[in-house]
Amino acid sequence: MAYYTRATAEFKNDLGKYYRLEINDNTLSGHSTDTFTLSSRGFDLNYETEDRTRFTGLIPSNVEFDIITTSSADETLVSDIKGAPFGRFLIRIDESDDGTSYSRWWAGNLLSDVSDAPDLSFEQHPSFTFTATDGLAELVDIKLDRNTTYATLNTLTTFVDVIISSLKNDLDSSVFWNVDHRFLRTMVNWYTANMPTPATSVDPLRQSGAIFRAFQEVENGSEVTISSFEALDRICRAFGARLFLSEGRWNFTQNNAYTQMASGGGQWRRDYYKDDNDIIATGTT
């Protein structure tokens, strides 16, 4: 299912960064050059979890923004979003230092929940508040194997494969990353005596894994696959790590990495493309 640009808006924040918010619609047959007007806040990015413990695993994020209607096209856009099924509209936010060259910064599903507003025509410029989510929370309702076929219950799959497969197969917004875009960054350095010592090209998440049966539970005498959310959360907790969307990529970051970076000790980082589990870029943070 292809997504095409429905409308865009741009603004510059107080720190001199430029942002472009693009609303995409999967019912179009081509890109539109329509624009819309954002309120003075631009947008708010929020990270939310069920708890605030140090070892919180998945950290979903959402974006809120306001559209100020100034035309009949804006009214139609607002109406379409209100009545749309989940997944029809996606938003993509790009960032730029100069207002010319942009790179992806955040993406998510635009929800149909729209704030109430006075019954005014666009001549009075009523404002409507929208929310978009990065999709992590929605993975609670998606089985790990819904869009991915594992050879057998006893096939060993690396944790990097499980992470990338869950994110690219189960999140609609993954369409915004092409095959040559950096999709996932890992910062993990826990390993066992049976694994190679972590290095720039040696990621413990590629040196370890689990058979698919490990992601199943017995319910009423039958084996049932757990959700993608639960699978990703278990991997996070096993490595004392967090998974979140930031700076245009998914980040799987071990909590102790922050302490090592702050002390100047450095921390290996590895980047992956969306369609390949081979490390394509490395470095130390």
Side-chain angles (χ1 to χ4, degrees):
M1 184 180 298
Y3 284 86
Y4 293 97
T5 304
R6 172 74 176 265
T8 60
E10 297 182 8
F11 73 96
K12 181 180 180 181
N13 70 6
D14 295 337
L15 299 178
K17 291 285 189 180
Y18 296 85
Y19 292 93
R20 180 173 61 207
L21 195 155
E22 182 180 283
I23 296 177
N24 289 261
D25 186 344
N26 66 16
T27 67
L28 302 182
S29 58
H31 294 295
S32 168
T33 58
D34 287 351
T35 61
F36 61 93
T37 302
L38 292 168
S39 67
S40 59
R41 69 167 172 167
F43 62 81
D44 292 330
L45 172 63
N46 308 292
Y47 289 90
E48 299 179 354
T49 62
E50 293 184 356
D51 57 63
R52 295 181 180 273
T53 63
R54 179 184 179 191
F55 292 103
T56 295
L58 272 61
I59 305 180
S61 60
N62 65 74
V63 160
E64 289 188 353
F65 62 97
D66 310 310
I67 290 181
I68 300 175
T69 55
T70 61
S71 67
S72 58
D74 291 341
E75 289 183 329
T76 301
L77 175 62
V78 170
S79 176
D80 286 350
I81 295 173
K82 283 184 177 181
F86 180 81
R88 172 180 170 180
F89 288 98
L90 301 178
I91 73 164
R92 166 178 166 177
I93 300 177
D94 295 338
E95 183 186 59
S96 172
D97 291 325
D98 57 12
T100 302
S101 300
Y102 283 86
S103 59
R104 72 193 44 71
W105 190 78
W106 193 89
N109 289 283
L110 187 55
L111 306 182
S112 59
D113 297 332
V114 182
S115 65
D116 293 330
D119 186 16
L120 301 173
S121 68
F122 66 84
E123 286 89 351
Q124 283 74 50
H125 306 316
S127 176
F128 297 86
T129 300
F130 296 85
T131 302
T133 65
D134 64 16
L136 277 185
E138 284 76 19
L139 294 185
V140 169
D141 298 319
I142 298 178
K143 298 298 184 182
L144 180 63
D145 59 348
R146 191 182 80 170
N147 295 313
T148 302
T149 301
Y150 294 89
T152 68
L153 294 178
N154 295 315
T155 298
L156 181 64
T157 304
T158 69
F159 288 129
V160 160
D161 282 324
V162 175
I163 295 169
I164 293 178
S165 293
S166 295
L167 294 176
K168 78 175 185 180
N169 291 332
D170 295 340
L171 299 183
D172 294 328
S173 56
S174 66
V175 300
F176 292 128
W177 283 265
N178 295 329
V179 294
D180 58 345
H181 289 153
R182 298 185 185 189
F183 185 64
L184 172 69
R185 169 168 292 180
T186 66
M187 296 178 68
V188 171
N189 284 303
W190 284 2
Y191 66 105
T192 69
N194 296 322
M195 296 163 57
T197 302
T200 54
S201 60
V202 180
D203 188 346
L205 290 172
R206 293 185 69 211
Q207 302 297 323
S208 57
I211 61 174
F212 180 66
R213 192 183 296 274
F215 298 112
Q216 292 191 318
E217 295 178 342
V218 176
E219 293 183 6
N220 299 321
S222 300
E223 291 184 334
V224 178
T225 305
I226 63 175
S227 69
S228 294
F229 186 97
E230 178 65 21
L232 292 173
D233 195 57
R234 288 184 183 183
I235 297 172
C236 284
R237 293 178 183 275
F239 283 91
R242 298 169 177 172
L243 179 63
F244 55 93
L245 178 61
S246 177
E247 297 183 348
R249 64 177 177 269
W250 291 98
N251 298 270
F252 189 97
T253 304
Q254 215 163 31
N255 291 353
N256 62 1
Y258 297 110
T259 301
Q260 294 175 359
M261 286 186 286
S263 63
Q267 180 74 10
W268 298 122
R269 65 175 186 269
R270 301 100 177 172
D271 292 350
Y272 296 87
Y273 291 138
K274 184 175 75 171
D275 290 342
D276 193 348
N277 70 352
D278 289 331
I279 298 172
I280 52 93
T282 62
T284 303
T285 299

